[in-house]
Amino acid sequence: MDMLEIYGGNNLTGAVDISGSKNAALPILIACLLNGQPNRLQNIPRLRDTLFLAELLRSFGVDIEAQKNNQIFIDTKQITNNRAEYNMVRKMRASVLTLAPLLVRTGAAQVSLPGGCAIGSRPVDIHLKGLEALGAQIEVTQGYIHARLKNNTFVGNHFKLDLPSVGATEQFILAAVCANGESVFTNVAKEPEIVELCNVLNRAGAKISGHGTNRLCIQGVSNLSGIDHVIGFDRIEAGTFIAIAAVTKSSLVLKNINLDSIESVLERFRFAGVQFEYCANSQSLWVKPPECLRPADIETAAYPGFPTDMQAQFLATMIFAHGESTIYERIFENRMMHVPELRRLGAKIEVYNSKARVIGPKKLQGAPVMATDLRASASLVIAALAANGRSEIRRVYHLDRGYENLVEKLQMLGAKIKRIAQ
Ligand code: EPZ
């Protein structure tokens, strides 16, 4: 397992290209299964998660070309296998979203339960309840979801989600777009990645309305045309680089982004004293950090609230703020594992019941630390870049899941970081 070596304390400078969104790319790649057509997706980030998903889709028998310069061609004309194996699903939880398209195309599917992960148990109970409401017969045995459709088709229905789950909302969209009749889903998630998925499907002939609100209405259609789409930017990567600029007191330019989907993140960084200047023509955001960061409290929430995927990165930033900040994780039950590792660097943080109290400012000293999950590893990179001296970050594969070329991007900005093969 590779590790990162970082010498912190450097001021960074320059511009960084923000990659395509992992959390938009995954459901849209899976949506290609629905149409049985050739599809072209561009600006797909080159990540472990997208590579794993391509492997899984290939195992269904579809024709998917190896990713070249962030472009993927996938022809889903033939599906010869409707079983998603545990050894693949466990590596990439969003694989559970293949359940609906496999049912639409083949009338049956066996998809492994994804299992929990570091940040929580992450059940799929809402996914299964919603699919049953649309006519799926589902049995869970020996770690697999065994599903089949009566008459080989979903039937439109009304369904209220217990909570605005992103994945469950995406699952229902994939099931309902080709169902018999109309479906109405309430208490759905409103994340930008869901809006992007719906826009892509509507361009392919689907009839979806209400995306971006908490009520989705979908009129089933008999078939969909191929998808040709350029994936939007990754709002979480953008937020991560804002945190890096803030803690290293570096003025950076983030390229290929727009502000619509990151307002809640910008607002908290502005409160902490970071200034921003956006140029719509060049789609660039100039990040200008203050000499002294002010403390800021956050509570994670479903969109448009402060995203849980930015919690660890913002917490790391508040280590350097002049005062006390409260970081309250309200989405996942175990998403504070970055805290013990940040303490190893010298951070002053107390945690009780997913609520962290960060006391700053604190000078950090480099040390060996261990990544525990994707966004926790990002928070360790942020802190190490502002710590004095040398840090080692182990289990870097967590980072590789969600950040494209992070080491190279940081080196281009002047960071003293390198990857060491273990
Ligand atoms: C998506 O995960 C994202 N992943 C996550 O990003 C993100 O943290 C999460 O949404 C919340 O925004 C992708 O889009 C690939 P949820 P998902 O279903 O869909 C509970 C990252 O770092 N729940 O909205 O799995 C669940 O336990 C990743 O890029 C149920 O109880 O998240 C959690 O507490 C991490 N039953 C809450 O809902 C269900 O059937 C939100 O989960 C489904 C979810």
Side-chain angles (χ1 to χ4, degrees):
M1 285 185 260
D2 294 0
M3 73 168 191
L4 296 183
E5 178 190 67
I6 296 175
Y7 284 92
N10 268 39
N11 199 280
L12 310 182
T13 178
V16 58
D17 287 321
I18 299 300
S19 298
S21 162
K22 163 178 88 77
N23 291 351
L26 297 174
I28 291 171
L29 266 167
I30 292 170
C32 294
L33 290 171
L34 289 169
N35 57 37
Q37 302 288 331
N39 304 271
R40 178 176 67 159
L41 296 176
Q42 300 178 75
N43 200 30
I44 294 265
R46 200 171 171 67
L47 305 166
R48 278 170 67 101
D49 274 14
T50 46
L51 292 174
F52 282 149
L53 180 57
E55 211 182 294
L56 176 66
L57 296 176
R58 242 182 233 107
S59 76
F60 296 152
V62 306
D63 180 21
I64 181 166
E65 260 183 47
Q67 186 174 350
K68 278 199 293 293
N69 48 52
N70 297 86
Q71 191 163 251
I72 284 189
F73 289 90
I74 169 169
D75 187 335
T76 60
K77 185 158 176 282
Q78 65 163 4
I79 290 184
T80 54
N81 167 38
N82 58 9
R83 181 178 170 85
E85 298 292 346
Y86 172 62
N87 71 333
M88 299 182 100
V89 175
R90 72 181 173 80
K91 289 188 267 187
M92 218 281 298
R93 324 177 22 80
S95 311
V96 74
L97 294 179
T98 59
L99 185 55
L102 287 173
L103 283 167
V104 170
R105 289 292 303 277
T106 71
Q110 291 83 40
V111 173
S112 165
L113 282 171
C117 77
I119 62 177
S121 61
R122 303 189 71 184
V124 290
D125 54 317
I126 302 173
H127 293 243
L128 304 185
K129 266 196 290 193
L131 291 180
E132 284 174 331
L134 294 175
Q137 290 166 328
I138 292 177
E139 203 194 337
V140 178
T141 54
Q142 294 168 321
Y144 277 78
I145 302 163
H146 297 267
R148 60 182 320 97
L149 281 181
K150 291 185 286 271
N151 319 318
N152 273 358
T153 176
F154 281 111
V155 180
N157 200 350
H158 289 218
F159 181 76
K160 181 176 186 315
L161 284 76
D162 300 342
L163 55 81
S165 154
V166 171
T169 304
E170 291 164 347
Q171 184 85 254
F172 302 152
I173 291 164
L174 297 174
V177 281
C178 296
N180 263 340
E182 182 183 70
S183 298
V184 176
F185 301 105
T186 48
N187 196 27
V188 294
K190 304 183 270 191
E191 269 66 6
E193 292 76 24
I194 287 174
V195 173
E196 185 169 350
L197 173 65
C198 291
N199 289 336
V200 164
L201 286 167
N202 277 346
R203 284 208 306 274
K207 290 191 169 64
I208 307 169
S209 58
H211 33 302
T213 75
N214 60 10
R215 184 178 187 276
L216 265 181
C217 187
I218 302 177
Q219 187 62 47
V221 294
S222 45
N223 52 44
L224 296 168
S225 57
I227 289 169
D228 189 353
H229 179 62
V230 181
I231 299 289
F233 81 100
D234 192 314
R235 61 192 172 102
I236 304 302
E237 184 190 17
T240 304
F241 273 97
I242 295 173
I244 289 169
V247 301
T248 57
K249 298 195 174 79
S250 308
S251 171
L252 298 179
V253 174
L254 311 188
K255 293 165 65 183
N256 318 322
I257 73 170
N258 61 59
L259 303 193
D260 323 352
S261 61
I262 54 174
E263 197 35 60
S264 62
V265 171
L266 295 179
E267 187 279 329
R268 286 289 85 191
F269 277 108
R270 277 196 200 97
F271 186 90
V274 180
Q275 292 181 325
F276 298 99
E277 214 172 294
Y278 183 65
C279 171
N281 290 347
S282 61
Q283 292 218 307
S284 303
L285 179 68
W286 185 10
V287 184
K288 294 180 277 186
E291 192 44 43
C292 297
L293 282 164
R294 285 195 298 269
D297 299 343
I298 62 164
E299 243 183 75
T300 63
Y303 193 86
F306 191 92
T308 173
D309 292 350
M310 270 299 298
Q311 177 260 106
Q313 300 91 311
F314 195 81
L315 185 152
T317 308
M318 290 298 104
I319 294 168
F320 306 94
H322 288 240
E324 188 176 310
S325 308
T326 300
I327 310 289
Y328 191 8
E329 171 56 55
R330 306 202 65 179
I331 301 290
F332 289 106
E333 66 264 31
N334 188 30
R335 204 170 198 177
M336 285 286 174
M337 283 168 305
H338 37 290
V339 170
E341 298 303 313
L342 291 168
R343 283 195 192 117
R344 287 179 49 74
L345 297 168
K348 208 164 165 2
I349 310 168
E350 291 150 19
V351 177
Y352 184 69
N353 274 355
S354 284
K355 195 177 266 192
R357 204 161 68 92
V358 185
I359 299 102
K362 198 73 174 61
K363 278 219 164 304
L364 300 188
Q365 294 305 322
V369 290
M370 180 122 78
T372 51
D373 61 84
L374 169 54
R375 306 303 174 181
S377 38
S379 75
L380 299 180
V381 172
I382 293 162
L385 286 169
N388 290 326
R390 182 177 181 278
S391 296
E392 291 177 357
I393 300 179
R394 291 180 166 73
R395 297 191 176 172
V396 176
Y397 60 85
H398 288 293
L399 262 183
D400 297 338
R401 288 197 43 220
Y403 289 94
E404 183 180 50
N405 303 331
L406 182 64
V407 171
E408 294 76 10
K409 289 181 179 180
L410 285 170
Q411 286 170 342
M412 294 274 286
L413 297 174
K416 282 194 174 159
I417 179 171
K418 69 180 183 187
R419 190 185 191 101
I420 300 174
Q422 290 281 298

